[in-house]
Amino acid sequence: MNAPSYTLRRSSRAKHTRIVVKAGQIEVVAPPKVSERNIHSFVLAQQDWIESALRRVAAKTREVPTLAPPNYRDGVAIPYLGRQLPLRIETSRNKTPRLDLRDDAWFCAKVPAGIEPDQHSELVRQALIRWMKSQARQQVQHFVDRHAPRHGLFPRSIRIKTQKSRWGSCGPDNDINLNWLLLLAPPAALEYVVVHELCHIRHRNHSAAFWELVAEHVPDYRQRRLWLKQHGASLMQGL
């Protein structure tokens, strides 16, 4: 019997080999010293469970509404910081598509003249994602500057990433990774995730002391975390 295809991630924190099933993806997390042969045998033994989990995840994904429009045409609404802002498409002499936020109220996408209208949607989407990533860095830095000095929670670096299952992480050297999709959520949700990862610089776990530190920065963190749990699946659908 052939094992289903999977990606392998070694983790020094893992005490046992485990399987993480996402939409169309299978990830095996294993301690560094477990042999690949044993990992392969483990996956084979769990094949029925994996197939069942894939079906459950696929069913949930179909049920999750997306915030993004089906295509990026003039007049559609674009999710940004918890709001839905209208999109206007214009042609320009630029060779590459550009996107700007006007008056903090609407998006203007400029596409090169001569591009067929049926090609606008993907070009606008790509320009929008580039813009969102750039804005995410600015927004994250804003919240880091606000909260880091209070308890000396200074990250070594800040990276904006595209992630399908995590909002953020704090590496062993205090490198903070944040998911740019948080820019689709209200600012309070983004601020909570930034604070959450900054607090991991002091506490590498989710102990009571960790949550007390989070609460010092955002006293209503429970409500913000609940919002992400309730709406996170839609955010993860992306643009």
Side-chain angles (χ1 to χ4, degrees):
M1 181 185 298
N2 293 324
S5 61
Y6 59 87
T7 58
L8 174 61
R9 177 165 62 90
R10 301 283 184 173
S11 173
S12 58
R13 296 182 180 181
K15 295 182 179 179
H16 307 283
T17 302
R18 60 188 175 91
I19 300 172
V20 179
V21 175
K22 308 170 187 176
Q25 297 180 336
I26 304 167
E27 181 184 57
V28 178
V29 183
K33 294 184 179 180
V34 177
S35 70
E36 291 194 15
R37 181 177 180 179
N38 286 342
I39 292 171
H40 188 75
S41 297
F42 176 74
V43 173
L44 274 176
Q46 299 296 322
Q47 188 158 346
D48 288 344
W49 179 88
I50 291 172
E51 292 176 354
S52 176
L54 284 170
R55 288 193 295 269
R56 291 196 302 271
V57 171
K60 289 183 179 179
T61 301
R62 288 193 295 269
E63 296 170 359
V64 173
T66 179
L67 299 176
N71 58 73
Y72 292 85
R73 54 180 174 76
D74 194 77
V76 300
I78 305 297
Y80 175 64
L81 294 180
R83 298 183 291 162
Q84 292 281 339
L85 303 183
L87 171 70
R88 297 288 180 263
I89 297 179
E90 302 175 357
T91 57
S92 74
R93 296 180 180 179
N94 296 330
K95 294 183 179 181
T96 57
R98 293 186 58 182
L99 187 126
D100 296 299
L101 178 62
R102 302 289 178 86
D103 301 323
D104 197 35
W106 57 283
F107 285 107
C108 179
K110 293 189 175 182
V111 298
I115 299 294
E116 294 296 328
D118 61 357
Q119 296 179 329
H120 285 180
S121 181
E122 182 58 23
L123 291 175
V124 171
R125 189 184 75 87
Q126 292 174 4
L128 181 62
I129 290 174
R130 290 194 297 271
W131 186 89
M132 289 278 186
K133 289 180 178 179
S134 175
Q135 290 298 309
R137 179 170 296 280
Q138 295 180 36
Q139 293 284 338
V140 168
Q141 188 64 59
H142 168 73
F143 289 127
V144 168
D145 292 343
R146 174 186 292 182
H147 292 281
R150 185 172 180 180
H151 292 286
L153 306 175
F154 295 103
R156 186 178 72 167
S157 67
I158 300 170
R159 290 177 289 199
I160 304 301
K161 303 182 71 174
T162 301
Q163 297 175 294
K164 293 297 184 181
S165 62
R166 305 180 73 178
W167 295 122
S169 61
C170 178
D173 296 318
N174 299 335
D175 297 303
I176 300 294
N177 299 312
L178 277 303
N179 192 334
W180 71 266
L181 290 174
L182 285 164
L183 210 62
L184 309 183
L190 172 59
E191 183 180 26
Y192 159 68
V193 176
V194 171
V195 167
H196 185 113
E197 301 310 330
L198 288 177
C199 289
H200 276 312
I201 294 175
R202 178 71 53 82
H203 302 287
R204 298 292 177 177
N205 49 39
H206 291 102
S207 62
F210 168 81
W211 291 115
E212 287 173 4
L213 184 58
V214 171
E216 286 189 40
H217 291 268
V218 281
D220 62 341
Y221 77 88
R222 289 184 177 86
Q223 290 92 324
R224 304 185 191 204
R225 184 173 61 167
L226 178 61
W227 190 96
L228 275 176
K229 287 183 177 180
Q230 292 174 336
H231 301 278
S234 291
L235 295 178
M236 283 294 183
Q237 298 295 309
L239 297 175

